[in-house]
Amino acid sequence: MPSLIVLSHEEQRERLRLGCPEAVPVSVVAGDPCIDQLRASMPFRESYRQALGVGPGRKLVVVSSTWGPGSVLGSAAADVLRRVLAELPADEYRAVVAVHPNAWYGHGAWQLQSWLAPLLDSGLMLPVPATQTWKAALLAADVLISDHGSLTFYGAALGVPCLLGSFPSDVVAAGSPMERLGQLLPTLVPGRPLLSQLGEATAGGAGNPELERLGQMVTSRPGRSATLLRRLFYEFLRLPEPAAPAATSLVPLPGPLPPARRTPGLPPTFVSVAWAEADGNGDGDGEGESDAVATVRRYPAAPQDRAGRHLAAAHLAADAAEPDIRWSRAADVLLLPLGRTPASSPPRMPCWDEFSGRHPGCSLIAVAEPEDGCLALLPDGRRIRARWHERPDWASFAIAGSLIHDYVYAHAGAAKDEGSRAPFRVQVVAGQLLERGLLVIGEL
């Protein structure tokens, strides 16, 4: 029998009484220092979001995995991490995975990072367990996808919308708050679009009184764990307690994050563009007026395993120097960043014949220009230039190139009219909450 059993809630003492009544006299309820720290840090949510690179208008999805075959990472059928990277628009969402230390040290850091390498190259953040980045991520999260691990309970207690990626009910204690949480939270459904399921989880968790009551089961000594635990430890050691009051520390800001992509080339990306009539959001003096509105959504190519509904009308854009022939030979749009044009004196623009043999799927070459502008080369010899007149932080020559591609090949109208060379002004939307851009497209 241990000398002391520390519990976080009176409910646990009652379950201890049922399972091992002789242990009750050495039990003490002292709260939960982790939830106290998380709650104390909640006013600084925006600081954690900025530190994690979640800018205005963007959302953060946190995926947490405990250890063992029933966890998110241990459940191959759940396919959670790949779906998060594959189905959520890259310009709108960032993703971080919090992996239990047992999984880290059981398999080894090299093995875990090797398994997740395609996802890490697609933007997934994987903090090491020696840091408190998982706490910062939970505070910054817009939604949590989890399992039967403790982060699910902490997320619910903080009011973070939760979706279960895996939940092996047979390993969860019967009658426990975790069992009830597993019954209340929605479970990720294979075959249904992830984006809509995240929306439903967010709407369903907002103001749910039963979830709020269950979140209170994390601790029955809220805000007092530092005081109670320090007193308990000093009494146990038979030492005088310090005079200064015990205080809960704030979650530290995460350190520098690794780059979103670990290799220098541009990642292969599927791009979908939806066109609509101009919505009249210009400023009235002609500068902000547009001829059409284009909504752009981009998805990393590497995590895709089949043509989902989110890729139904998408084209593929890839770096002209991409070594993986799955992408370079099939790309509709070839991307040529600044500094990659042919070396010559005097400088010259690339020509179509330099690329067509090695890239049989290509229908447009996008050449980067200053300030994220783009010069597009077409197989029939035409050249089309796009320049940002209103350039938000997400703007890039790659997005401009994809818009030209869709404008030429999919958007019915001025681009196919031989007699029209007037500039075409496009209001560009990359996310519902992101600042809009204004791109002007004109044939040379």
PDB file of all heavy atoms in Angstrom, residues 288-322:
ATOM      1  N   GLY A 288     -10.855  49.244 -56.477  1.00  0.00           N
ATOM      2  CA  GLY A 288     -11.152  47.970 -55.837  1.00  0.00           C
ATOM      3  C   GLY A 288     -12.218  47.171 -56.545  1.00  0.00           C
ATOM      4  O   GLY A 288     -12.618  46.119 -56.073  1.00  0.00           O
ATOM      5  N   GLU A 289     -12.701  47.689 -57.678  1.00  0.00           N
ATOM      6  CA  GLU A 289     -13.750  46.983 -58.403  1.00  0.00           C
ATOM      7  C   GLU A 289     -13.179  45.740 -59.080  1.00  0.00           C
ATOM      8  O   GLU A 289     -12.015  45.684 -59.440  1.00  0.00           O
ATOM      9  CB  GLU A 289     -14.371  47.904 -59.461  1.00  0.00           C
ATOM     10  CG  GLU A 289     -15.033  49.146 -58.882  1.00  0.00           C
ATOM     11  CD  GLU A 289     -16.235  48.841 -58.011  1.00  0.00           C
ATOM     12  OE1 GLU A 289     -16.793  47.730 -58.158  1.00  0.00           O
ATOM     13  OE2 GLU A 289     -16.608  49.680 -57.194  1.00  0.00           O
ATOM     14  N   SER A 290     -14.015  44.722 -59.266  1.00  0.00           N
ATOM     15  CA  SER A 290     -13.559  43.489 -59.895  1.00  0.00           C
ATOM     16  C   SER A 290     -14.594  43.014 -60.891  1.00  0.00           C
ATOM     17  O   SER A 290     -15.775  43.365 -60.826  1.00  0.00           O
ATOM     18  CB  SER A 290     -13.296  42.414 -58.839  1.00  0.00           C
ATOM     19  OG  SER A 290     -14.472  42.122 -58.107  1.00  0.00           O
ATOM     20  N   ASP A 291     -14.123  42.163 -61.828  1.00  0.00           N
ATOM     21  CA  ASP A 291     -15.012  41.568 -62.824  1.00  0.00           C
ATOM     22  C   ASP A 291     -15.578  40.237 -62.354  1.00  0.00           C
ATOM     23  O   ASP A 291     -16.591  39.769 -62.873  1.00  0.00           O
ATOM     24  CB  ASP A 291     -14.240  41.351 -64.126  1.00  0.00           C
ATOM     25  CG  ASP A 291     -13.709  42.669 -64.694  1.00  0.00           C
ATOM     26  OD1 ASP A 291     -14.525  43.576 -64.902  1.00  0.00           O
ATOM     27  OD2 ASP A 291     -12.493  42.774 -64.906  1.00  0.00           O
ATOM     28  N   ALA A 292     -14.898  39.604 -61.393  1.00  0.00           N
ATOM     29  CA  ALA A 292     -15.339  38.299 -60.906  1.00  0.00           C
ATOM     30  C   ALA A 292     -14.715  38.058 -59.536  1.00  0.00           C
ATOM     31  O   ALA A 292     -13.764  38.743 -59.124  1.00  0.00           O
ATOM     32  CB  ALA A 292     -14.941  37.192 -61.872  1.00  0.00           C
ATOM     33  N   VAL A 293     -15.263  37.061 -58.827  1.00  0.00           N
ATOM     34  CA  VAL A 293     -14.716  36.618 -57.544  1.00  0.00           C
ATOM     35  C   VAL A 293     -14.275  35.167 -57.706  1.00  0.00           C
ATOM     36  O   VAL A 293     -15.034  34.333 -58.215  1.00  0.00           O
ATOM     37  CB  VAL A 293     -15.750  36.726 -56.402  1.00  0.00           C
ATOM     38  CG1 VAL A 293     -15.174  36.194 -55.105  1.00  0.00           C
ATOM     39  CG2 VAL A 293     -16.206  38.172 -56.239  1.00  0.00           C
ATOM     40  N   ALA A 294     -13.055  34.873 -57.319  1.00  0.00           N
ATOM     41  CA  ALA A 294     -12.526  33.510 -57.406  1.00  0.00           C
ATOM     42  C   ALA A 294     -12.145  33.038 -56.011  1.00  0.00           C
ATOM     43  O   ALA A 294     -11.341  33.683 -55.326  1.00  0.00           O
ATOM     44  CB  ALA A 294     -11.323  33.457 -58.333  1.00  0.00           C
ATOM     45  N   THR A 295     -12.714  31.917 -55.590  1.00  0.00           N
ATOM     46  CA  THR A 295     -12.366  31.316 -54.303  1.00  0.00           C
ATOM     47  C   THR A 295     -11.371  30.190 -54.554  1.00  0.00           C
ATOM     48  O   THR A 295     -11.663  29.236 -55.279  1.00  0.00           O
ATOM     49  CB  THR A 295     -13.609  30.767 -53.592  1.00  0.00           C
ATOM     50  OG1 THR A 295     -14.520  31.850 -53.344  1.00  0.00           O
ATOM     51  CG2 THR A 295     -13.241  30.119 -52.273  1.00  0.00           C
ATOM     52  N   VAL A 296     -10.193  30.327 -53.965  1.00  0.00           N
ATOM     53  CA  VAL A 296      -9.095  29.379 -54.186  1.00  0.00           C
ATOM     54  C   VAL A 296      -8.911  28.529 -52.940  1.00  0.00           C
ATOM     55  O   VAL A 296      -8.850  29.051 -51.822  1.00  0.00           O
ATOM     56  CB  VAL A 296      -7.780  30.121 -54.493  1.00  0.00           C
ATOM     57  CG1 VAL A 296      -6.633  29.141 -54.674  1.00  0.00           C
ATOM     58  CG2 VAL A 296      -7.939  30.994 -55.715  1.00  0.00           C
ATOM     59  N   ARG A 297      -8.831  27.227 -53.154  1.00  0.00           N
ATOM     60  CA  ARG A 297      -8.490  26.328 -52.052  1.00  0.00           C
ATOM     61  C   ARG A 297      -7.383  25.392 -52.507  1.00  0.00           C
ATOM     62  O   ARG A 297      -7.462  24.797 -53.573  1.00  0.00           O
ATOM     63  CB  ARG A 297      -9.725  25.533 -51.596  1.00  0.00           C
ATOM     64  CG  ARG A 297     -10.653  26.383 -50.732  1.00  0.00           C
ATOM     65  CD  ARG A 297     -11.793  25.603 -50.151  1.00  0.00           C
ATOM     66  NE  ARG A 297     -12.361  26.296 -49.003  1.00  0.00           N
ATOM     67  CZ  ARG A 297     -13.461  25.914 -48.360  1.00  0.00           C
ATOM     68  NH1 ARG A 297     -14.121  24.844 -48.774  1.00  0.00           N
ATOM     69  NH2 ARG A 297     -13.903  26.584 -47.319  1.00  0.00           N
ATOM     70  N   ARG A 298      -6.352  25.298 -51.672  1.00  0.00           N
ATOM     71  CA  ARG A 298      -5.179  24.501 -52.018  1.00  0.00           C
ATOM     72  C   ARG A 298      -5.000  23.367 -51.013  1.00  0.00           C
ATOM     73  O   ARG A 298      -5.190  23.541 -49.808  1.00  0.00           O
ATOM     74  CB  ARG A 298      -3.924  25.379 -52.055  1.00  0.00           C
ATOM     75  CG  ARG A 298      -4.027  26.523 -53.059  1.00  0.00           C
ATOM     76  CD  ARG A 298      -2.683  27.164 -53.299  1.00  0.00           C
ATOM     77  NE  ARG A 298      -2.145  27.774 -52.083  1.00  0.00           N
ATOM     78  CZ  ARG A 298      -0.874  28.133 -51.943  1.00  0.00           C
ATOM     79  NH1 ARG A 298      -0.013  27.914 -52.929  1.00  0.00           N
ATOM     80  NH2 ARG A 298      -0.466  28.713 -50.828  1.00  0.00           N
ATOM     81  N   TYR A 299      -4.596  22.199 -51.554  1.00  0.00           N
ATOM     82  CA  TYR A 299      -4.436  20.997 -50.736  1.00  0.00           C
ATOM     83  C   TYR A 299      -3.096  20.341 -51.084  1.00  0.00           C
ATOM     84  O   TYR A 299      -2.807  20.128 -52.263  1.00  0.00           O
ATOM     85  CB  TYR A 299      -5.560  20.000 -51.004  1.00  0.00           C
ATOM     86  CG  TYR A 299      -6.953  20.571 -50.872  1.00  0.00           C
ATOM     87  CD1 TYR A 299      -7.589  21.153 -51.968  1.00  0.00           C
ATOM     88  CD2 TYR A 299      -7.627  20.540 -49.668  1.00  0.00           C
ATOM     89  CE1 TYR A 299      -8.867  21.682 -51.857  1.00  0.00           C
ATOM     90  CE2 TYR A 299      -8.910  21.062 -49.542  1.00  0.00           C
ATOM     91  CZ  TYR A 299      -9.525  21.633 -50.637  1.00  0.00           C
ATOM     92  OH  TYR A 299     -10.794  22.160 -50.518  1.00  0.00           O
ATOM     93  N   PRO A 300      -2.280  20.017 -50.086  1.00  0.00           N
ATOM     94  CA  PRO A 300      -1.007  19.353 -50.392  1.00  0.00           C
ATOM     95  C   PRO A 300      -1.248  18.027 -51.102  1.00  0.00           C
ATOM     96  O   PRO A 300      -2.169  17.277 -50.755  1.00  0.00           O
ATOM     97  CB  PRO A 300      -0.365  19.157 -49.018  1.00  0.00           C
ATOM     98  CG  PRO A 300      -1.469  19.319 -48.023  1.00  0.00           C
ATOM     99  CD  PRO A 300      -2.482  20.216 -48.637  1.00  0.00           C
ATOM    100  N   ALA A 301      -0.415  17.742 -52.105  1.00  0.00           N
ATOM    101  CA  ALA A 301      -0.632  16.544 -52.929  1.00  0.00           C
ATOM    102  C   ALA A 301      -0.203  15.265 -52.219  1.00  0.00           C
ATOM    103  O   ALA A 301      -0.840  14.216 -52.378  1.00  0.00           O
ATOM    104  CB  ALA A 301       0.123  16.694 -54.248  1.00  0.00           C
ATOM    105  N   ALA A 302       0.875  15.329 -51.441  1.00  0.00           N
ATOM    106  CA  ALA A 302       1.442  14.107 -50.871  1.00  0.00           C
ATOM    107  C   ALA A 302       0.468  13.293 -50.016  1.00  0.00           C
ATOM    108  O   ALA A 302       0.462  12.063 -50.099  1.00  0.00           O
ATOM    109  CB  ALA A 302       2.699  14.447 -50.071  1.00  0.00           C
ATOM    110  N   PRO A 303      -0.387  13.915 -49.181  1.00  0.00           N
ATOM    111  CA  PRO A 303      -1.275  13.100 -48.341  1.00  0.00           C
ATOM    112  C   PRO A 303      -2.491  12.531 -49.067  1.00  0.00           C
ATOM    113  O   PRO A 303      -3.226  11.728 -48.479  1.00  0.00           O
ATOM    114  CB  PRO A 303      -1.731  14.080 -47.244  1.00  0.00           C
ATOM    115  CG  PRO A 303      -0.884  15.274 -47.378  1.00  0.00           C
ATOM    116  CD  PRO A 303      -0.451  15.330 -48.797  1.00  0.00           C
ATOM    117  N   GLN A 304      -2.732  12.928 -50.301  1.00  0.00           N
ATOM    118  CA  GLN A 304      -3.942  12.459 -50.993  1.00  0.00           C
ATOM    119  C   GLN A 304      -3.775  10.987 -51.360  1.00  0.00           C
ATOM    120  O   GLN A 304      -2.732  10.574 -51.858  1.00  0.00           O
ATOM    121  CB  GLN A 304      -4.195  13.280 -52.262  1.00  0.00           C
ATOM    122  CG  GLN A 304      -4.137  14.779 -52.074  1.00  0.00           C
ATOM    123  CD  GLN A 304      -5.215  15.333 -51.145  1.00  0.00           C
ATOM    124  OE1 GLN A 304      -6.274  14.722 -50.998  1.00  0.00           O
ATOM    125  NE2 GLN A 304      -4.938  16.469 -50.542  1.00  0.00           N
ATOM    126  N   ASP A 305      -4.801  10.196 -51.103  1.00  0.00           N
ATOM    127  CA  ASP A 305      -4.719   8.786 -51.480  1.00  0.00           C
ATOM    128  C   ASP A 305      -5.760   8.402 -52.520  1.00  0.00           C
ATOM    129  O   ASP A 305      -5.721   7.326 -53.095  1.00  0.00           O
ATOM    130  CB  ASP A 305      -4.840   7.880 -50.257  1.00  0.00           C
ATOM    131  CG  ASP A 305      -6.239   7.860 -49.666  1.00  0.00           C
ATOM    132  OD1 ASP A 305      -7.018   8.799 -49.956  1.00  0.00           O
ATOM    133  OD2 ASP A 305      -6.557   6.923 -48.909  1.00  0.00           O
ATOM    134  N   ARG A 306      -6.694   9.273 -52.749  1.00  0.00           N
ATOM    135  CA  ARG A 306      -7.706   9.016 -53.777  1.00  0.00           C
ATOM    136  C   ARG A 306      -8.370  10.345 -54.102  1.00  0.00           C
ATOM    137  O   ARG A 306      -8.205  11.325 -53.371  1.00  0.00           O
ATOM    138  CB  ARG A 306      -8.759   8.004 -53.281  1.00  0.00           C
ATOM    139  CG  ARG A 306      -9.541   8.476 -52.064  1.00  0.00           C
ATOM    140  CD  ARG A 306     -10.487   7.415 -51.559  1.00  0.00           C
ATOM    141  NE  ARG A 306      -9.757   6.289 -51.028  1.00  0.00           N
ATOM    142  CZ  ARG A 306      -9.345   6.237 -49.754  1.00  0.00           C
ATOM    143  NH1 ARG A 306      -9.575   7.249 -48.943  1.00  0.00           N
ATOM    144  NH2 ARG A 306      -8.702   5.194 -49.303  1.00  0.00           N
ATOM    145  N   ALA A 307      -9.112  10.381 -55.188  1.00  0.00           N
ATOM    146  CA  ALA A 307      -9.770  11.630 -55.593  1.00  0.00           C
ATOM    147  C   ALA A 307     -11.020  11.837 -54.750  1.00  0.00           C
ATOM    148  O   ALA A 307     -12.078  11.285 -55.040  1.00  0.00           O
ATOM    149  CB  ALA A 307     -10.115  11.589 -57.075  1.00  0.00           C
ATOM    150  N   GLY A 308     -10.894  12.621 -53.685  1.00  0.00           N
ATOM    151  CA  GLY A 308     -12.049  12.940 -52.869  1.00  0.00           C
ATOM    152  C   GLY A 308     -12.860  14.056 -53.485  1.00  0.00           C
ATOM    153  O   GLY A 308     -12.475  14.662 -54.494  1.00  0.00           O
ATOM    154  N   ARG A 309     -13.979  14.337 -52.852  1.00  0.00           N
ATOM    155  CA  ARG A 309     -14.858  15.382 -53.383  1.00  0.00           C
ATOM    156  C   ARG A 309     -14.180  16.747 -53.388  1.00  0.00           C
ATOM    157  O   ARG A 309     -14.480  17.601 -54.223  1.00  0.00           O
ATOM    158  CB  ARG A 309     -16.152  15.429 -52.574  1.00  0.00           C
ATOM    159  CG  ARG A 309     -17.205  14.452 -53.066  1.00  0.00           C
ATOM    160  CD  ARG A 309     -18.455  14.534 -52.224  1.00  0.00           C
ATOM    161  NE  ARG A 309     -18.345  13.703 -51.024  1.00  0.00           N
ATOM    162  CZ  ARG A 309     -19.301  13.579 -50.115  1.00  0.00           C
ATOM    163  NH1 ARG A 309     -20.429  14.251 -50.257  1.00  0.00           N
ATOM    164  NH2 ARG A 309     -19.138  12.811 -49.071  1.00  0.00           N
ATOM    165  N   HIS A 310     -13.255  16.950 -52.449  1.00  0.00           N
ATOM    166  CA  HIS A 310     -12.579  18.254 -52.400  1.00  0.00           C
ATOM    167  C   HIS A 310     -11.635  18.448 -53.586  1.00  0.00           C
ATOM    168  O   HIS A 310     -11.195  19.567 -53.840  1.00  0.00           O
ATOM    169  CB  HIS A 310     -11.813  18.390 -51.079  1.00  0.00           C
ATOM    170  CG  HIS A 310     -10.730  17.367 -50.879  1.00  0.00           C
ATOM    171  ND1 HIS A 310     -10.989  16.024 -50.727  1.00  0.00           N
ATOM    172  CD2 HIS A 310      -9.382  17.502 -50.815  1.00  0.00           C
ATOM    173  CE1 HIS A 310      -9.858  15.371 -50.564  1.00  0.00           C
ATOM    174  NE2 HIS A 310      -8.862  16.241 -50.617  1.00  0.00           N
ATOM    175  N   LEU A 311     -11.334  17.379 -54.333  1.00  0.00           N
ATOM    176  CA  LEU A 311     -10.446  17.481 -55.494  1.00  0.00           C
ATOM    177  C   LEU A 311     -11.188  17.320 -56.818  1.00  0.00           C
ATOM    178  O   LEU A 311     -10.563  17.169 -57.863  1.00  0.00           O
ATOM    179  CB  LEU A 311      -9.340  16.413 -55.411  1.00  0.00           C
ATOM    180  CG  LEU A 311      -8.423  16.460 -54.180  1.00  0.00           C
ATOM    181  CD1 LEU A 311      -7.382  15.358 -54.272  1.00  0.00           C
ATOM    182  CD2 LEU A 311      -7.754  17.819 -54.038  1.00  0.00           C
ATOM    183  N   ALA A 312     -12.506  17.362 -56.769  1.00  0.00           N
ATOM    184  CA  ALA A 312     -13.306  17.038 -57.960  1.00  0.00           C
ATOM    185  C   ALA A 312     -12.955  17.914 -59.153  1.00  0.00           C
ATOM    186  O   ALA A 312     -12.914  17.443 -60.290  1.00  0.00           O
ATOM    187  CB  ALA A 312     -14.785  17.156 -57.635  1.00  0.00           C
ATOM    188  N   ALA A 313     -12.705  19.191 -58.944  1.00  0.00           N
ATOM    189  CA  ALA A 313     -12.418  20.091 -60.062  1.00  0.00           C
ATOM    190  C   ALA A 313     -11.033  20.715 -59.934  1.00  0.00           C
ATOM    191  O   ALA A 313     -10.776  21.793 -60.469  1.00  0.00           O
ATOM    192  CB  ALA A 313     -13.480  21.183 -60.141  1.00  0.00           C
ATOM    193  N   ALA A 314     -10.143  20.037 -59.219  1.00  0.00           N
ATOM    194  CA  ALA A 314      -8.833  20.619 -58.927  1.00  0.00           C
ATOM    195  C   ALA A 314      -7.828  20.324 -60.032  1.00  0.00           C
ATOM    196  O   ALA A 314      -7.932  19.329 -60.747  1.00  0.00           O
ATOM    197  CB  ALA A 314      -8.313  20.084 -57.596  1.00  0.00           C
ATOM    198  N   HIS A 315      -6.833  21.196 -60.167  1.00  0.00           N
ATOM    199  CA  HIS A 315      -5.688  20.918 -61.022  1.00  0.00           C
ATOM    200  C   HIS A 315      -4.445  20.801 -60.145  1.00  0.00           C
ATOM    201  O   HIS A 315      -4.441  21.209 -58.976  1.00  0.00           O
ATOM    202  CB  HIS A 315      -5.509  22.002 -62.090  1.00  0.00           C
ATOM    203  CG  HIS A 315      -5.206  23.362 -61.538  1.00  0.00           C
ATOM    204  ND1 HIS A 315      -6.176  24.337 -61.342  1.00  0.00           N
ATOM    205  CD2 HIS A 315      -4.032  23.923 -61.130  1.00  0.00           C
ATOM    206  CE1 HIS A 315      -5.624  25.422 -60.858  1.00  0.00           C
ATOM    207  NE2 HIS A 315      -4.321  25.201 -60.702  1.00  0.00           N
ATOM    208  N   LEU A 316      -3.393  20.233 -60.706  1.00  0.00           N
ATOM    209  CA  LEU A 316      -2.162  19.985 -59.962  1.00  0.00           C
ATOM    210  C   LEU A 316      -1.094  21.001 -60.348  1.00  0.00           C
ATOM    211  O   LEU A 316      -0.815  21.211 -61.533  1.00  0.00           O
ATOM    212  CB  LEU A 316      -1.656  18.564 -60.246  1.00  0.00           C
ATOM    213  CG  LEU A 316      -0.309  18.169 -59.617  1.00  0.00           C
ATOM    214  CD1 LEU A 316      -0.392  18.195 -58.095  1.00  0.00           C
ATOM    215  CD2 LEU A 316       0.116  16.781 -60.094  1.00  0.00           C
ATOM    216  N   ALA A 317      -0.497  21.642 -59.333  1.00  0.00           N
ATOM    217  CA  ALA A 317       0.617  22.569 -59.544  1.00  0.00           C
ATOM    218  C   ALA A 317       1.856  21.992 -58.869  1.00  0.00           C
ATOM    219  O   ALA A 317       1.785  21.531 -57.721  1.00  0.00           O
ATOM    220  CB  ALA A 317       0.288  23.948 -58.973  1.00  0.00           C
ATOM    221  N   ALA A 318       2.982  21.994 -59.577  1.00  0.00           N
ATOM    222  CA  ALA A 318       4.209  21.424 -59.024  1.00  0.00           C
ATOM    223  C   ALA A 318       5.415  22.233 -59.461  1.00  0.00           C
ATOM    224  O   ALA A 318       5.418  22.875 -60.516  1.00  0.00           O
ATOM    225  CB  ALA A 318       4.367  19.966 -59.475  1.00  0.00           C
ATOM    226  N   ASP A 319       6.438  22.191 -58.626  1.00  0.00           N
ATOM    227  CA  ASP A 319       7.715  22.840 -58.935  1.00  0.00           C
ATOM    228  C   ASP A 319       8.297  22.225 -60.208  1.00  0.00           C
ATOM    229  O   ASP A 319       8.270  21.001 -60.388  1.00  0.00           O
ATOM    230  CB  ASP A 319       8.671  22.639 -57.756  1.00  0.00           C
ATOM    231  CG  ASP A 319       9.863  23.569 -57.793  1.00  0.00           C
ATOM    232  OD1 ASP A 319      10.557  23.588 -58.821  1.00  0.00           O
ATOM    233  OD2 ASP A 319      10.107  24.260 -56.793  1.00  0.00           O
ATOM    234  N   ALA A 320       8.840  23.063 -61.076  1.00  0.00           N
ATOM    235  CA  ALA A 320       9.433  22.562 -62.315  1.00  0.00           C
ATOM    236  C   ALA A 320      10.613  21.637 -62.045  1.00  0.00           C
ATOM    237  O   ALA A 320      10.955  20.793 -62.879  1.00  0.00           O
ATOM    238  CB  ALA A 320       9.875  23.733 -63.188  1.00  0.00           C
ATOM    239  N   ALA A 321      11.232  21.756 -60.858  1.00  0.00           N
ATOM    240  CA  ALA A 321      12.368  20.905 -60.502  1.00  0.00           C
ATOM    241  C   ALA A 321      11.969  19.784 -59.548  1.00  0.00           C
ATOM    242  O   ALA A 321      12.847  19.147 -58.951  1.00  0.00           O
ATOM    243  CB  ALA A 321      13.472  21.754 -59.879  1.00  0.00           C
ATOM    244  N   GLU A 322      10.681  19.524 -59.396  1.00  0.00           N
ATOM    245  CA  GLU A 322      10.213  18.450 -58.511  1.00  0.00           C
ATOM    246  C   GLU A 322      10.751  17.097 -58.999  1.00  0.00           C
ATOM    247  O   GLU A 322      10.516  16.689 -60.129  1.00  0.00           O
ATOM    248  CB  GLU A 322       8.674  18.420 -58.503  1.00  0.00           C
ATOM    249  CG  GLU A 322       8.057  17.229 -57.817  1.00  0.00           C
ATOM    250  CD  GLU A 322       8.414  17.128 -56.351  1.00  0.00           C
ATOM    251  OE1 GLU A 322       8.225  18.126 -55.622  1.00  0.00           O
ATOM    252  OE2 GLU A 322       8.895  16.052 -55.939  1.00  0.00           O
TER     253      GLU A 322
END
